[in-house]
């Protein structure tokens, strides 16, 4: 039988930090001039491009002459070295001794970080300088989790006050819904939530929801409430989102920064029609059953959502960095209560303060970022994998994939020149141990892909099977501890032969090893730790962008496909309903479109 056991709870000291007080109104600082021709002031002192500096060259030499001549098998057995490649903060342990680095490598990477003015760029971000130069915007997701009372003035406004005004509005609204003061149009309590959004307006909240769903405090607070996400414009996703939900008890949350994204507009309209069909076409139906998170009040109102039912955020919050804004706050507070969301913000803030104030040498996000740059730009590993040994983090890899690939998937630097070194890894991952039975064959014997292993000391749901030597969580974690060593050490032909394998089989069973990875060991996946983890990876992405001298905060790459889809949409419509011929496309697209039209009923 499966019996929950009461494992001893371990308590972890949570760090306390000074509030992120930075640029008070009366503190003068140089204005940042951002025009088409200029870059943020922090880059204006950069006379030599990063890849032309002596620090970069030193790392190239070091890679060639030292690291590429070593094997992790030899490095990892050096206990003194391993001791140095370890950092801890607020319950979060980073062991990077299985990366292809030695302390000298780290010294050279810190020198590169200094040359790239990492400290100054980091500070410019926290201070609210308009470092997203192509869109002339601040990058202030850290302000979303700053404690109440923090002063951070942008264009004469204390943005943290604004953040907290909206958070309080969300607290009040979610409490009214949860305690039955806000009911549906037929008088029934609301207990189902459909969050409609895509990309950054979806992946963050979904990963957070999954992380909390099985957590003790959060799941007790959720009760029998249901939170679902509707992101894909595929009509099948509408079916999945609404399946077996009673519209009388359902609230739809339209999440869109711009409120112009086609997929979200269409899905929002479909859900509006679904509500009207079941509950009647009245202003009251929409008022009781639809709310929005956006920066675009005009469009929200035009759609029919009452202004008081809009929960705003700001242009200085990038979509993929928006989970700490109303984008995550509203669905998560409705489902789990505001207090749970606040714990998540506190965890993220703890990591923010660490990132901002800790010296580079022990700074977790900086270390992860430097290792990312090292692996990609100096060792030429162009992918990396993330393996949370936690089923509750099943959507974390997808969130990090968007966060990182939409941020650092660039071909020009901040000056608009082509980058002449590799930037922007391919990120992917799956929870362990499932990933082990999927793509780990390639990780062990195929291409080299640096890995992040994320594990927890305690399970969200401790279970011990009678007759088994270890608890289920220990079983999971045995794999977490084993895989990084298997990747690092591999297995030599000699070792295979010693196992009695035949000569012809031996090469098939050799593991070359020397495959780098990092281990992150954290206490237990609760709201606070989830916040730490989120901020850790957000800042890793920023560090890499800062070092690579690229703008990690725009995403023009998603535009071209959207424009072409508009052209296709127009022609599909004209061909289907006005018998116009498909034209203006290449041969292949024309043929595909005609076959689609022949076979489809529209
Ligand atoms: O995928 C492109 C993108 O612009 C993302 O950056 C963004 O998170 C997503 O689309 C959704 O945008 P919006 O929140 O404006 O609907």
């Amino acid at each position: 039988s499966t019996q929950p056991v009461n494992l001893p709870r371990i308590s972890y000291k949570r760090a306390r930090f000074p509030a992120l007080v930075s640029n008070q109104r009366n503190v003068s600082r140089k204005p940042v001039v951002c025009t088409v021709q200029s870059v943020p002031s922090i880059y204006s002192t950069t006379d030599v491009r990063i890849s032309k500096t002596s620090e970069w060259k030193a790392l190239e030499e070091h890679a060639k002459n030292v690291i590429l001549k070593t094997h992790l098998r030899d490095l990892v057995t050096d206990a003194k070295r391993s001791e140095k490649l370890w950092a801890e903060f607020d319950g979060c342990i980073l062991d990077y001794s299985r990366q292809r680095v030695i302390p000298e490598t780290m010294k050279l990477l810190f020198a590169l970080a200094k040359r790239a003015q990492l400290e100054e760029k980091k500070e410019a971000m926290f201070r609210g300088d308009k470092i997203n130069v192509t869109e002339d915007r601040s990058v202030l997701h850290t302000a979303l989790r700053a404690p109440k009372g923090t002063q951070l003035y942008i264009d004469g406004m204390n943005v943290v006050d604004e953040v907290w005004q909206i958070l309080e509005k969300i607290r009040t609204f979610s409490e009214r819904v949860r305690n039955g003061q806000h009911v549906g149009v037929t008088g029934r309590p609301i207990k189902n939530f459909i969050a409609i959004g895509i990309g950054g307006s979806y992946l963050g909240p979904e990963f957070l929801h999954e992380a909390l769903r099985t957590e003790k405090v959060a799941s007790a607070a959720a009760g029998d409430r249901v939170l679902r996400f509707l992101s894909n414009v595929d009509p099948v996703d509408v079916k999945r989102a609404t399946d077996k939900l009673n519209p009388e008890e359902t609230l739809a949350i339209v999440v869109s920064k711009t409120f112009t994204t086609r997929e979200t507009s269409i899905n929002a309209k479909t859900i509006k029609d679904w509500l009207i069909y079941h509950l009647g076409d009245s202003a009251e139906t929409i008022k009781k059953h639809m709310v929005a998170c956006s920066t675009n009040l005009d469009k929200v109102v035009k759609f029919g959502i009452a202004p008081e039912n809009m929960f705003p955020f700001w242009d200085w919050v990038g979509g993929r960095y928006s989970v700490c804004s109303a984008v995550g706050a509203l669905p998560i507070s409705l489902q789990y209560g505001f207090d749970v969301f606040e714990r998540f913000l506190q965890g993220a803030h703890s990591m923010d303060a660490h990132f901002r104030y800790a010296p580079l040498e022990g700074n977790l996000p900086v270390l992860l970022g430097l290792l990312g740059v090292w692996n990609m730009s100096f060792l030429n590993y162009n992918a990396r994998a993330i393996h949370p040994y936690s089923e509750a983090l099943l959507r974390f890899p997808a969130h990090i994939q968007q966060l990182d690939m939409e941020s650092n998937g660039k071909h020009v630097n901040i000056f608009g020149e082509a980058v002449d070194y590799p930037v922007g890894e391919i990120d992917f991952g799956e929870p362990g141990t499932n990933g082990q039975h999927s793509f780990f064959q390639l990780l062990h014997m195929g291409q080299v892909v640096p890995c992040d292993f994320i594990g927890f000391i305690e399970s969200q749901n401790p279970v011990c099977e009678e007759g088994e030597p270890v608890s289920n969580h220990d079983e999971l974690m045995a794999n977490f501890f084993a895989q990084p060593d298997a990747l690092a050490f591999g297995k030599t032909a000699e070792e295979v032969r010693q196992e009695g394998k035949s000569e012809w089989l031996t090469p098939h069973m050799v593991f070359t090893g020397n495959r780098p990875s990092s281990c992150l060991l954290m206490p237990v996946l609760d709201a606070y730790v989830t916040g730490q983890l989120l901020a850790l990876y957000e800042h890793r992405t920023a560090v890499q962008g800062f070092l690579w001298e690229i703008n990690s905060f725009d995403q023009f790459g998603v535009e071209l496909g959207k424009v072409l889809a508009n052209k296709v949409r127009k022609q599909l419509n004209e061909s289907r309903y006005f018998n116009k011929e498909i034209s203006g496309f290449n041969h292949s697209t024309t043929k595909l479109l005609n076959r689609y039209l022949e076979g489809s009923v529209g």
Side-chain angles (χ1 to χ4, degrees), residues 150-190:
T150 303
Q151 299 192 31
L152 178 57
Y153 285 91
I154 302 297
D155 300 331
M157 303 280 282
N158 183 359
V159 293
V160 180
D161 277 355
E162 288 189 44
V163 164
W164 274 96
Q165 268 174 33
I166 303 308
L167 285 176
E168 289 303 344
K169 183 177 168 181
I170 290 171
R171 186 205 298 268
T172 308
F173 179 72
S174 58
E175 277 170 9
R176 280 175 53 77
V177 173
R178 289 171 60 83
N179 67 23
Q181 280 174 274
H182 174 113
V183 291
V185 72
T186 61
R188 292 190 66 82
I190 300 284

Side-chain angles (χ1 to χ4, degrees), residues 325-336:
S325 71
V327 167
L330 191 58
I332 297 301
S333 301
L334 285 163
Q335 177 72 2
Y336 299 108

Side-chain angles (χ1 to χ4, degrees), residues 197-202 255-264 293-295 313 318-322 327 402 406 555 558-559 562:
I198 199 162
S201 294
Y202 149 66
V255 186
S256 177
K257 181 175 171 180
T258 56
F259 226 76
T260 57
T261 306
R262 282 287 298 177
E263 294 91 329
T264 302
C293 303
S294 185
T295 58
F313 58 109
R320 54 194 175 272
Y321 297 89
S322 67
V327 167
Q402 192 224 6
E406 198 165 270
Q555 59 287 316
V558 298
E559 295 307 322
K562 286 190 200 170

Side-chain angles (χ1 to χ4, degrees), residues 32-41 43-44 130 132-134 136 414-416:
V32 180
V33 185
C34 291
T35 66
V36 180
Q37 282 82 27
S38 74
V39 292
S41 60
Y43 283 92
S44 62
K130 293 189 174 171
N132 176 359
V133 62
T134 52
D136 197 18
I414 199 130
F415 311 98

